[in-house]
Amino acid sequence: MNFETELKKGKFLVSECPFCKIIVWPPSDFCNRCLKENSWKECSCEGKILEFSKKENTIFCVAEIEKSLKILGEIISGTPEIGKKIKVVDCGITNNNYFFKMAIIE
Amino acid sequence: MPKVAVVAYGHTKFSNEDLKIESVLLRATKNLFDSTPNLEQKDIDSVLVSTNNNSKYLSAILSEMTGIQPKIAHSVESLCNSGTNAIVSAYSYIASGLADVILISGAERYDSPGQILEWDNMRGEFKHPIFWASIFSKAYKREYSISEEDLAIVPVKNHKHAKKNPNAFSQKTISIEDVLNSKKLTEDLRLLDCSRPCTGGASILLTSEEFCKKFCDSPIWITGIGQKTTSASFTKNQGFDKMESTKQAAQMAFQMSNHSSENIDVMEVHDAFSVCEPIALESMGFSESGGGIKMIKESYSSENFKINPRGGLLGTGHPLGATGISQTIEIVQQLQFKAEKRQVETASVGLVHNMSAAATSSTVLVLEN
């Protein structure tokens, strides 16, 4: 399974070390602790806002997903506050850049 | 450990000139030769180039263009702290006995590819540095109840200093109102909060103790070096109102030099954006957490040049590969009492703080006369 191939289809995978039982992020074929081969699983896509700002009408935030990995993405619905729960509702690759769109879920 | 000195330097004016990278390196190096009596090409046994430019083999090219046939010749790239990384590499070659006299030349063009870290896909569509800087600004303002107006003192002070630096890009005084009325890039960042990518070069000559007196009556010694890389991804930072790599690099540099923040008379701090200056000061122990802006305001109101006398990155401009070398040259000039209108009164110990990619990597140098 290839992270980018799946991301292009809108599927958000994470790499997980079956030995260390940790999510390895950024996604990688090998664990950055034991260097053994990782496995891939679908991400729950749920997390919380750590910080946010705004450029014109685009709200962007650092979100912590599955209590372990952090991404910078766009909040497309809801009013952001630190600690509010979000879900990645769309992701993919455009113009060689990943994108993560999030919605506030509470 | 063998002693390593800075004995000579050269600088170009930072500008938006459309020059080939080789020309910028050559100009900075010619300026070094022109201002260094007794220096001949055959004295130099190693040449290091610091840049993010995509051109290849630049240390060999610079060597050929300046008539040097060095033993060791290679480039060093580490985004915005390439310059101090090259200085640390040169220090190590001299301290190990592999070389005695090393030319380091750093240069960048205004359109450097080093401004965007393409690898860091965890930033999604928000790869430009203004986005991490906005997150840092928001976090810092919230955590310590700092206003946008409070932060504006940083570019005001540094542009004021840059006006006394003939090599600086900015030569104009700006006010708090100018900063607050400058173009709003994001909710937490205005144009005058940002350092400017530009074309510029800076060269420096390092020697062993045995060779220093041939070129200079007042060598400046590198007595402390600290480097720490915590990650490459911006989002791996633990908190956005502090700089862990800077904290650890400063601790190492202070330990090696047997100094502390209390002994530092003058310093260049990596103010890529306004918020970076107070956070770096706090992370290095110059003030308590949240107290950096108070320290900067006091420095400004007392007309003290202690913090970023050169004008920092905000006032001088930020040609990535040249920045760390330019910062080091400023501290050398201060310790030699050659900083003219920017000179601090007492200068025996100085510090350089240079960092990369949202503070994921930092270098701190301590220098002494």
Side-chain angles (χ1 to χ4, degrees):
Chain A
M1 202 177 286
N2 178 290
F3 178 81
E4 290 197 353
T5 307
E6 296 301 311
L7 189 65
K8 276 178 191 165
K9 298 178 198 164
K11 210 182 258 185
F12 189 173
L13 300 179
V14 293
S15 45
E16 185 178 46
C17 176
F19 303 96
C20 299
K21 308 287 183 202
I22 56 168
I23 289 177
V24 179
W25 192 255
S28 172
D29 291 334
F30 301 100
C31 174
N32 59 7
R33 186 185 288 177
C34 70
L35 299 179
K36 289 179 183 150
E37 196 164 354
N38 286 328
S39 57
W40 297 90
K41 67 168 190 178
E42 273 200 55
C43 181
S44 74
C45 292
E46 291 189 7
K48 65 175 181 179
I49 296 172
L50 297 182
E51 194 53 82
F52 64 94
S53 184
K54 189 175 176 185
K55 180 173 170 43
E56 294 166 354
N57 293 323
T58 303
I59 300 167
F60 54 96
C61 79
V62 177
E64 184 182 63
I65 309 289
E66 293 200 355
K67 294 182 181 172
S68 58
L69 62 95
K70 288 183 277 182
I71 53 173
L72 198 48
E74 181 183 351
I75 298 176
I76 57 170
S77 70
T79 304
E81 278 177 35
I82 305 293
K84 264 195 177 175
K85 286 189 179 168
I86 56 91
K87 185 174 175 71
V88 177
V89 291
D90 190 15
C91 58
I93 303 177
T94 52
N95 301 323
N96 295 320
N97 281 325
Y98 297 4
F99 68 85
F100 306 100
K101 311 271 185 204
M102 306 171 202
I104 288 166
I105 53 176
E106 69 166 16
Chain B
M1 190 178 289
K3 292 173 77 177
V4 177
V6 179
V7 299
Y9 42 81
H11 213 289
T12 72
K13 181 168 171 55
F14 290 179
S15 69
N16 52 14
E17 274 189 284
D18 186 9
L19 294 171
K20 284 186 174 178
I21 195 73
E22 305 90 297
S23 298
V24 188
L25 290 165
L26 182 59
R27 287 175 188 208
T29 302
K30 175 182 160 39
N31 186 245
L32 183 150
F33 270 95
D34 288 347
S35 58
T36 311
N38 302 330
L39 178 64
E40 296 177 66
Q41 286 94 330
K42 64 178 171 53
D43 295 321
I44 295 173
D45 57 20
S46 301
V47 175
L48 303 187
V49 163
S50 152
T51 187
N52 293 266
N53 192 279
N54 285 335
S55 294
K56 306 296 179 216
Y57 213 38
L58 284 170
S59 55
I61 292 167
L62 176 65
S63 298
E64 180 175 326
M65 292 169 79
T66 50
I68 301 167
Q69 292 189 321
K71 290 193 291 192
I72 300 164
H74 62 81
S75 297
V76 175
E77 178 277 307
S78 182
L79 292 182
C80 303
N81 70 354
S82 302
T84 50
N85 269 275
I87 289 172
V88 172
S89 299
Y91 179 101
S92 308
Y93 287 138
I94 293 169
S96 69
L98 277 174
D100 282 307
V101 181
I102 304 188
L103 168 71
I104 307 153
S105 191
E108 212 70 58
R109 280 171 48 86
Y110 60 87
D111 57 355
S112 170
Q115 287 157 30
I116 308 283
L117 179 56
E118 293 295 349
W119 173 85
D120 194 0
N121 281 312
M122 301 316 112
R123 302 188 200 186
E125 307 148 87
F126 305 101
K127 280 183 181 166
H128 194 281
I130 63 167
F131 296 109
W132 70 252
S134 298
I135 293 291
F136 268 73
S137 294
K138 185 67 160 277
Y140 185 72
K141 287 188 290 186
R142 177 189 299 102
E143 183 66 25
Y144 300 111
S145 302
I146 301 285
S147 68
E148 185 183 6
E149 189 174 344
D150 290 328
L151 278 178
I153 192 68
V154 180
V156 168
K157 171 179 71 66
N158 292 347
H159 280 262
K160 180 185 162 196
H161 292 183
K163 205 176 172 188
K164 297 185 186 304
N165 174 2
N167 289 318
F169 193 104
S170 171
Q171 295 294 328
K172 62 180 180 186
T173 308
I174 60 169
S175 64
I176 297 283
E177 290 69 33
D178 289 335
V179 179
L180 298 180
N181 292 327
S182 64
K183 186 180 178 185
K184 193 172 189 175
L185 302 179
T186 70
E187 199 171 72
D188 297 288
L189 202 71
R190 291 184 182 268
L191 186 63
L192 286 173
D193 286 314
C194 308
S195 59
R196 180 181 182 127
C198 60
T199 300
S203 295
I204 201 164
L205 196 70
L206 265 56
T207 73
S208 59
E209 188 172 17
E210 184 188 347
F211 285 80
C212 69
K213 287 291 181 185
K214 181 178 176 186
F215 310 112
C216 179
D217 293 328
S218 50
I220 300 303
W221 305 99
I222 299 173
T223 58
I225 295 174
Q227 287 196 302
K228 185 65 186 179
T229 298
T230 52
S231 64
S233 306
F234 153 63
T235 56
K236 284 280 180 76
N237 271 306
Q238 298 296 318
F240 303 110
D241 56 8
K242 53 182 177 282
M243 296 171 177
E244 181 61 26
S245 68
T246 293
K247 179 183 172 185
Q248 292 192 38
Q251 285 170 346
M252 286 178 227
F254 287 142
Q255 186 177 15
M256 180 173 164
S257 62
N258 286 319
H259 285 293
S260 70
S261 57
E262 289 171 10
N263 304 119
I264 302 300
D265 301 310
V266 60
M267 61 182 131
E268 277 288 323
V269 177
H270 194 101
D271 57 330
F273 298 94
S274 297
V275 73
C276 297
E277 188 167 299
I279 297 181
L281 291 171
E282 294 163 23
S283 298
M284 290 190 285
F286 288 98
S287 87
E288 73 281 6
S289 296
I293 284 293
K294 183 167 175 275
M295 184 184 175
I296 292 163
K297 283 182 175 174
E298 285 168 359
S299 178
Y300 177 73
S301 60
S302 62
E303 309 244 329
N304 177 335
F305 279 75
K306 178 176 177 175
I307 309 165
N308 279 330
R310 185 183 69 117
L313 282 63
L314 287 168
T316 315
H318 184 24
L320 317 188
T323 285
I325 298 169
S326 175
Q327 290 178 304
T328 306
I329 291 171
E330 175 67 24
I331 298 306
V332 168
Q333 288 181 320
Q334 292 283 346
L335 297 175
Q336 290 176 329
F337 293 92
K338 291 180 180 173
E340 300 182 340
K341 292 176 182 172
R342 309 180 308 279
Q343 185 65 49
V344 299
E345 277 182 27
T346 309
S348 56
V349 187
L351 177 143
V352 176
H353 164 250
N354 187 201
M355 68 179 200
S356 288
T360 52
S361 179
S362 296
T363 308
V364 174
L365 306 177
V366 175
L367 296 104
E368 295 179 60
N369 54 22

